[in-house]
Amino acid sequence: MIDTHCHVDSDQFDPDREAVIHRALEAGITTMLAIGTGEGPPHLDAAIQLANQHSCFLATVGVHPHNAIRVQPETYPELIRLAKHPKCVGIGEIGLDYHYDFSPREQQHEVFIRHLALAKDLKLPIVIHTREAWRDTIDILKQHWDPALGGIFHCFSEGIDEAREAIDLNFHLGLGGVLTYPKADKMREAASFAPLNRILLETDAPYLAPVPFRGKRNEPAYVVDTAKRLAALRGLTLEELDELTTQNFSRLFSAKLEQLA
Ligand SMILES: [Zn+2]
Ligand SMILES: [Zn+2]
C-alpha cells in the first residue's frame, strides 16, 4: 500500500521518526511520497533528504501556498535542480489556500502559475493543495496546465461536482482521513462516484488522522484505516483496493519511476 502524501520531515516526528517509518513498513506501506514543502524557501529539500536516507520514500518539491510570500528569484532554479533528483517524482504541494491566507492571494496565484510552468518544462505531474479556493484553482489549471501530465488533488474533500471537474482535467483524487469523519457524507459520495482508476490513498501525516486516531498525530501506518473505509464504500476487499491504488500511483508517476527501475 502507498501513502501518497505525508510530511514525515515535520518536527512533530523528531522524537520518533525512525519508529514511525518502521510502523509504516510493518503495516504494509511499501512506499511513502514525502511532500517537499517543508518550512518553505529557502529550505526546499526536506523530502529529498528523506528519499536519500530511506528506500521507502519518494519525494516531491514545491512551495506550499502558505509560503508563497517567502519565494525569491533564486527559489525557482533551486526547485528545478532538486526536481531532477532521481527520486523526485512530482511538483507539489502547490495551489491556493484562502482559508488561512498566510500569503496574499495575488502572490499565491503567481507562485502557483510559476510552478505549473516549471512542472510542464520538467514533464512532471503535480500535487494540488486547494482550500476554499476551488473556482480559482480550476480556472488557473485550465489556463496554465497541461492535463496530459496528470496530478493529484490531495486531501480531496469536496463533492461529486468538484470530483467530476478534477477528473475531467485528468487528475486523481487523493483520499485521506477525512473520509472516515462522520460529517463527510458529501466527500464519501464523491469517493463512491470517482472512477476506480482515479483514486489514491494518503494520510497528510501529521495532520488529519483517520478515525479511530482522529485528533491525534497522524502517521503513514494509519493510511490502512482510510483504506478499509474506502474499500467498504466501493465494495472491494482491502487487497483489491490496495492493488488498484498502487497501480494508479505507478501509472501516474511512471515517467520518473521507470527511470528508477
Ligand atoms: Zn495540503
Ligand atoms: Zn500536505
Side-chain angles (χ1 to χ4, degrees):
M1 194 171 287
I2 299 179
D3 181 357
T4 66
H5 192 112
C6 58
H7 300 270
V8 176
D9 61 292
S10 159
D11 58 14
Q12 292 195 42
F13 294 113
D14 283 351
D16 61 344
R17 187 168 289 104
E18 293 307 312
V20 166
I21 295 166
H22 185 72
R23 278 199 292 275
L25 295 173
E26 291 280 287
I29 317 306
T30 52
T31 303
M32 291 164 260
L33 182 54
I35 300 300
T37 44
E39 289 161 19
H43 308 292
L44 300 166
D45 66 342
I48 302 268
Q49 281 186 35
L50 277 172
N52 280 336
Q53 288 157 6
H54 300 276
S55 60
C56 54
F57 281 101
L58 295 168
T60 67
V61 294
V63 177
H64 195 285
H66 288 340
N67 298 319
I69 198 164
R70 298 178 60 175
V71 168
Q72 300 292 324
E74 62 269 24
T75 303
Y76 296 107
E78 177 64 0
L79 284 170
I80 292 168
R81 188 184 72 79
L82 291 168
K84 290 179 176 162
H85 187 285
K87 292 182 85 177
C88 179
V89 297
I91 300 297
E93 58 190 289
I94 55 172
L96 305 174
D97 193 311
Y98 296 171
H99 179 76
Y100 289 108
D101 276 328
F102 285 150
S103 291
R105 292 182 184 183
E106 217 168 288
Q107 215 157 351
Q108 292 190 41
H109 288 206
E110 188 196 316
V111 168
F112 184 24
I113 291 167
R114 284 291 298 269
H115 276 81
L116 295 177
L118 193 149
K120 280 195 289 187
D121 285 347
L122 294 161
K123 301 204 182 324
L124 288 175
I126 51 175
V127 179
I128 300 281
H129 169 106
T130 180
R131 189 161 181 200
E132 294 173 26
W134 184 265
R135 189 47 41 211
D136 285 359
T137 302
I138 293 290
D139 286 348
I140 287 176
L141 287 169
K142 281 185 175 164
Q143 243 189 83
H144 297 278
W145 179 235
D146 175 5
L149 295 170
I152 304 171
F153 267 84
H154 118 80
C155 194
F156 182 86
S157 30
E158 308 287 339
I160 287 183
D161 292 344
E162 290 85 359
R164 191 175 282 121
E165 274 189 294
I167 290 159
D168 284 349
L169 285 169
N170 195 32
F171 281 92
H172 291 67
L173 308 183
L175 304 171
V178 176
L179 189 81
T180 67
Y181 297 174
K183 285 184 182 160
D185 287 331
K186 214 177 57 149
M187 173 195 175
R188 280 189 286 273
E189 273 175 36
S192 307
F193 152 85
L196 290 173
N197 64 356
R198 292 285 151 189
I199 53 176
L200 293 169
L201 293 162
E202 67 168 63
T203 58
D204 206 13
Y207 315 107
L208 296 168
V211 172
F213 305 105
R214 190 175 184 184
K216 302 206 173 84
R217 185 188 70 175
N218 199 2
E219 61 177 69
Y222 301 166
V223 81
V224 176
D225 295 273
T226 300
K228 282 179 184 161
R229 187 68 194 263
L230 184 58
L233 202 61
R234 300 299 308 236
L236 300 168
T237 65
L238 189 60
E239 291 70 27
E240 285 166 339
L241 180 75
D242 178 11
E243 197 184 321
L244 202 101
T245 50
T246 298
Q247 282 171 4
N248 292 347
F249 182 87
S250 304
R251 199 184 323 110
L252 174 58
F253 294 108
S254 60
K256 267 310 207 15
L257 292 178
E258 277 164 17
Q259 290 172 29
L260 258 184

